[in-house]
Amino acid sequence: MTLIVCVCDYWKRRHYYNRQPVQSAAGDTGKSHKKIVRRLSLELDAIAGNYWLRELLQQKVLCHRLERDHEVQLLWLSLHPPEHDTIDYKWADMLAHTIWEHIEVEHLMSWLSTLGGGFSALGEQFERCAQTAGKISLQQLTIGLRLGDPFLQARCKLYYSISLIQCGQLRRAKRLIRAQYRFAKQHEEHDQRLVRMCLGIWLRLRFEYQERRGRRLAADNNS
């Protein structure tokens, strides 16, 4: 039998660990039979109780000692608030560093968005500026991958598709926009702007296709 651990918190709620599911025995007549369980009760503050629980669930040495040497079947841990609160300085430093890094990345993304928008506007007239805007979008995508934000990644890919359209790579842009549109429709409840971005860039792509067909027809008529 595995040692059952019960933690009773400040509000007298019980949390069981290692408890086996109850199964009805064969030939049960419906009458309840109470089985005597050897129990060990301990009153601990929450900090000590946390160490006890980690030892019991992870190391298993203490569990085996209690079961083998003392025949304990249920360990009851009643928790009460500690006299002095403790501060996890290591975790606080890690959290502060993560938050500060996130703030710096957001600041960098805003600058890249402004710079990319300027080059994208110039890309309507100069292909070299369109290529630079595409490189900026790829840098933003790298940051989005590091942050693990799929919606940010999708927006960066759509920005990159604008650069592809300006450079005349319409087929690559079409595949990219369609992929992001499928993703946007699956998560429309979380980010409706993404769907509108896809539709707006798709209209721009259709316009470029129409312009290309018009130029080809004009060239055929002149020849």
Side-chain angles (χ1 to χ4, degrees), residues 46-142:
I47 299 174
N50 176 62
Y51 288 121
W52 269 77
L53 185 60
R54 290 173 58 185
E55 177 69 24
L56 292 166
L57 298 180
Q58 298 178 9
Q59 302 300 328
K60 302 296 184 182
V61 177
L62 183 58
C63 287
H64 296 158
R65 292 285 300 273
L66 291 172
E67 288 180 288
R68 184 181 65 251
D69 299 340
H70 303 282
E71 299 181 354
V72 176
Q73 297 172 311
L74 173 62
L75 181 59
W76 190 282
L77 302 179
S78 297
L79 304 183
H80 58 80
E83 295 182 1
H84 302 285
D85 294 329
T86 59
I87 301 176
D88 191 342
Y89 289 100
K90 185 176 181 180
W91 171 253
D93 291 340
M94 293 172 58
L95 185 61
H97 180 270
T98 302
I99 294 175
W100 180 255
E101 183 182 36
H102 187 77
I103 293 173
E104 289 295 321
V105 169
E106 289 290 339
H107 187 249
L108 177 61
M109 285 292 294
S110 63
W111 275 105
L112 288 176
S113 297
T114 303
L115 189 63
F119 275 101
S120 180
L122 293 173
E124 298 295 330
Q125 301 294 330
F126 307 102
E127 183 176 348
R128 184 176 179 180
C129 293
Q131 294 174 353
T132 303
K135 294 179 181 178
I136 295 174
S137 298
L138 292 178
Q139 290 294 326
Q140 291 178 295
L141 178 59
T142 302

Side-chain angles (χ1 to χ4, degrees), residues 7 9 25 130 135 143 150 169 176 184 186-187 200:
V7 178
D9 59 21
K135 294 179 181 178
I143 297 174
Q169 303 181 36
L176 193 58
Q186 293 174 356
H187 304 85

Side-chain angles (χ1 to χ4, degrees), residues 15 45 58 63 85 88 96 118 126 138-139 142 158 167 174 176 178 180 183 193 200 219 222:
H15 308 273
D45 63 74
Q58 298 178 9
C63 287
D85 294 329
D88 191 342
F126 307 102
L138 292 178
Q139 290 294 326
T142 302
L158 288 174
C167 294
K174 179 171 63 177
L176 193 58
R178 282 178 172 174
Q180 304 318 306
F183 172 81
R193 296 177 302 170
N222 292 334

